[in-house]
Amino acid sequence: MARYRLRFLLQEFDLRGPEVIIGRSPECHITIEDPLVSRQHAKIMVNDDKPTIEDLGSRNGVRINGEKIAGPAELAHGDRVRLGTQELVFYQAAKHRREARTTGFMTVCHACSTPYPEKAKACPHCGAPARDEDTMSGLLVEPRRTWTFQLLGEVIERALATGRTSEAVRLMRRAAREVDERLTASEGIDPEQLAHISGFALQLAGQGGGVEWVHWALNVHRQQRLFPNDSLLGQLEGLDLKTLPDLAIVLGEFAQWASTERKTLRPPPEPDTVQRLERIASR
């Protein structure tokens, strides 16, 4: 009989049929601690010939190798299954391999947030010594580096498009916290990812989220010494100064900083681009 497994980070899970439920609920066969995963997110039907996975009506769906599925979909060796922000690898286990552990303890490095087995005396990624208070029990952990900005952006965009501002604010706060933590840890953020998530912050500000999101988006650009791209400048131009108190002050302070530091920014903006921002602030 064929044996199938899911691999997530340093954990492996045997899939024992006829079905395996995956979700956020502790009652699932495999529990994933991720707020973007539904309580019962997906079901894997295990059989010898054609193992399949099916979305159980989750809010964010199931993707196989980047493609969102509709209805039951066959799984093949090496397929990458994404639920929420987490990605798992499906594979057929060799018959001679020993049974995989499906429970145990994981340690999350206090220095770099990489998960590794509890028994290790130091983080294999950065070498930081293990600490007892870092140990976590359970099947899965959610380290910072597994965060998927693309999926989060899709969910925020969907919430904004349907007028669910409160949900968009909640998700945006999580994204902002993740960005702030990475910057505090000096990990840096890819400029395209930063522009992407900042765009949603500005969109949220324009839909009643408040000037705080404009301030946050500009502040993270300032921390990274980046000047907003043309798309973000266009969004700033579209904001209503009358409905956003203190917006002119926030824009003016950033424009003054950008003008002073222009030659050291990445990439250095042209003088007329900085003047464009100053005009937006002085409308």
Side-chain angles (χ1 to χ4, degrees), residues 205-226:
Q207 294 191 17
V211 72
E212 65 172 293
W213 291 113
V214 181
H215 183 270
W216 176 83
L218 295 179
N219 188 54
V220 293
H221 275 73
R222 186 169 178 166
Q223 287 179 267
Q224 292 290 87
R225 305 194 68 79
L226 293 170

Side-chain angles (χ1 to χ4, degrees), residues 10-279:
L10 301 177
Q11 296 273 52
E12 293 184 357
F13 307 94
D14 278 312
L15 301 178
R16 297 177 179 145
E19 66 178 31
V20 176
I21 306 297
I22 308 173
R24 198 175 71 250
S25 171
E27 297 178 358
C28 293
H29 298 99
I30 298 178
T31 300
I32 299 180
E33 293 292 342
D34 185 325
L36 297 184
V37 172
S38 299
R39 289 186 61 79
Q40 290 193 342
H41 198 109
K43 174 176 66 175
I44 294 180
M45 299 298 296
V46 182
N47 57 62
D48 286 341
D49 299 325
K50 296 179 180 179
T52 60
I53 187 170
E54 181 178 356
D55 183 12
L56 295 178
S58 66
R59 173 174 294 182
N60 298 312
V62 176
R63 295 178 183 269
I64 300 178
N65 301 323
E67 298 294 327
K68 193 170 184 178
I69 66 172
E74 290 187 19
L75 287 169
H77 180 79
D79 278 347
R80 308 185 74 84
V81 179
R82 194 172 76 182
L83 311 176
T85 62
Q86 312 302 331
E87 191 169 75
L88 305 93
V89 179
F90 174 86
Y91 68 99
Q92 183 172 345
K95 293 183 179 180
H96 67 275
R97 291 187 61 178
R98 61 182 177 84
E99 195 83 356
R101 287 183 63 192
T102 57
T103 60
F105 292 89
M106 296 285 285
T107 293
V108 177
C109 178
H110 61 88
C112 70
S113 297
T114 298
Y116 60 92
E118 174 199 19
K119 294 181 179 180
K121 295 181 179 181
C123 173
H125 180 71
C126 71
R131 302 188 311 190
D132 291 339
E133 59 266 32
D134 297 325
T135 301
M136 299 178 63
S137 63
L139 293 179
L140 299 179
V141 294
E142 183 191 359
R144 271 199 317 236
R145 61 187 72 250
T146 65
W147 183 262
T148 306
F149 279 103
Q150 179 183 353
L151 176 61
L152 181 67
E154 292 173 3
V155 179
I156 294 175
E157 185 176 30
R158 197 155 57 239
L160 289 171
T162 54
R164 292 178 283 126
T165 304
S166 60
E167 181 177 351
V169 168
R170 178 178 61 82
L171 293 168
M172 195 62 226
R173 289 195 186 283
R174 179 181 175 182
R177 185 170 62 250
E178 170 70 15
V179 171
D180 293 342
E181 288 178 355
R182 289 191 180 188
L183 295 181
T184 300
S186 300
E187 294 182 10
I189 300 290
D190 179 77
E192 291 186 6
Q193 287 186 337
L194 187 61
H196 184 69
I197 207 68
S198 295
F200 289 117
L202 297 182
Q203 188 177 347
L204 180 58
Q207 294 191 17
V211 72
E212 65 172 293
W213 291 113
V214 181
H215 183 270
W216 176 83
L218 295 179
N219 188 54
V220 293
H221 275 73
R222 186 169 178 166
Q223 287 179 267
Q224 292 290 87
R225 305 194 68 79
L226 293 170
F227 192 83
N229 60 24
D230 288 340
S231 176
L232 293 177
L233 288 176
Q235 285 186 267
L236 290 171
E237 282 181 323
L239 293 176
D240 188 354
L241 292 173
K242 295 180 181 179
T243 62
L244 292 170
D246 301 326
L247 177 59
I249 297 175
V250 172
L251 293 176
E253 289 178 348
F254 183 83
Q256 183 178 7
W257 169 81
S259 178
T260 303
E261 303 290 331
R262 183 178 67 84
K263 294 183 179 180
T264 66
L265 301 184
R266 300 181 295 129
E270 296 297 328
D272 58 344
T273 305
V274 178
Q275 291 171 6
R276 178 186 177 187
L277 181 59
E278 292 173 339
R279 288 195 298 271

